[in-house]
Amino acid sequence: MNKQLTVLVVDDHPLVCTALQLLLEKETYIAKVICAGNYQEALQQYQSTNPNFIIVDADLGCTTGNGFQLFTQLKKLNFQGHSLCISANDNPLLSEAALKIGMSGFIDKNQHTSSVSRAIQTIMCGYNFFKLNKENSFLSKRESEIASMLINGLKNKDIALNLSISPKTVSTYKTRILTKYNVNNIIELTSFKAITD
């Protein structure tokens, strides 16, 4: 791999940015690593440095936008390089969301530091680098319907009346939905959906 990469790292934790910068600057195929701490700074750095590889945190911890929204905006600005999504949350649905919007890969921050270089090399060889959980992640049509109602604030009893099913059946679906999203309650589900939608 002889292509010299200019990498833009976007993470709202300065320690993560610096660690990734130090790690990646050692790689012979990387010419430059630029860091940005938030959505707006990332847009500015993108326009001034024209990176051909972007590593972005899914969350970004800000109200301006998350990593998925940033990547979507960069594509509108004609970004045609490769991208790697990172997250402290290892939920496979984040990986699927990254794939769905056209990113090149996903790793969670619990993985060994060597996984970042491995992911970049894999992506630069023309492959995607995703962690997907096919058997557990997709919601059925009924689960999607109930998840939407739960997020919109309906109670189990109201959902049961709307769908002509028992409240106990709604409760069973609710448990399945929370399990598939790897969250503990509807508040966490709502927050998670806000990040990935």
Side-chain angles (χ1 to χ4, degrees):
M1 173 183 352
N2 7 359
K3 186 172 184 181
Q4 292 293 302
L5 296 179
T6 299
V7 180
L8 173 60
V9 177
V10 186
D11 195 296
D12 60 318
H13 297 93
L15 187 61
V16 173
C17 272
T18 303
L20 284 171
Q21 186 173 22
L22 292 172
L23 177 75
L24 296 174
E25 284 176 341
K26 295 176 186 173
E27 300 292 344
T28 57
Y29 56 90
I30 295 178
K32 188 175 185 181
V33 181
I34 306 110
C35 291
N38 60 50
Y39 187 97
Q40 288 304 326
E41 188 182 344
L43 290 175
Q44 291 166 355
Q45 289 286 15
Y46 170 76
Q47 291 175 332
S48 65
T49 60
N50 196 27
N52 52 4
F53 200 103
I54 294 173
I55 300 174
V56 62
D57 182 22
D59 185 17
L60 290 185
C62 66
T63 55
T64 316
N66 62 47
F68 298 122
Q69 293 165 323
L70 173 63
F71 179 73
T72 302
Q73 181 61 35
L74 292 177
K75 284 197 327 190
K76 288 178 185 172
L77 295 172
N78 205 28
F79 174 69
Q80 295 178 2
H82 296 286
S83 54
L84 178 64
C85 181
I86 60 174
S87 178
N89 185 338
D90 68 349
N91 192 313
L93 290 168
L94 282 174
S95 183
E96 289 173 19
L99 176 62
K100 188 173 163 184
I101 64 167
M103 296 189 84
S104 311
F106 174 90
I107 58 174
D108 68 77
K109 294 178 184 177
N110 297 314
Q111 292 178 288
H112 192 273
T113 55
S114 64
S115 64
V116 177
S117 298
R118 193 171 69 249
I120 293 171
Q121 289 172 6
T122 300
I123 290 165
M124 293 313 297
C125 286
Y127 299 97
N128 285 336
F129 196 90
F130 288 99
K131 173 180 167 182
L132 302 175
N133 184 357
K134 294 290 187 194
E135 59 194 52
N136 208 20
S137 57
F138 294 109
L139 298 182
S140 69
K141 184 178 178 185
R142 179 65 82 174
E143 287 168 341
S144 293
E145 196 174 18
I146 291 172
S148 177
M149 291 178 177
L150 288 167
I151 288 169
N152 287 320
L154 272 70
K155 304 288 183 210
N156 287 11
K157 188 172 79 176
D158 300 324
I159 296 170
L161 285 171
N162 270 331
L163 300 177
S164 301
I165 57 178
S166 77
K168 187 174 180 181
T169 303
V170 173
S171 183
T172 300
Y173 276 115
K174 181 178 173 181
T175 301
R176 280 191 213 154
I177 293 162
L178 296 177
T179 300
K180 286 185 177 185
Y181 278 96
N182 193 24
V183 294
N184 298 312
N185 53 49
I186 300 305
I187 294 169
E188 287 182 18
L189 177 64
T190 304
S191 299
F192 184 82
K193 288 291 284 174
I195 291 172
T196 58
D197 285 348

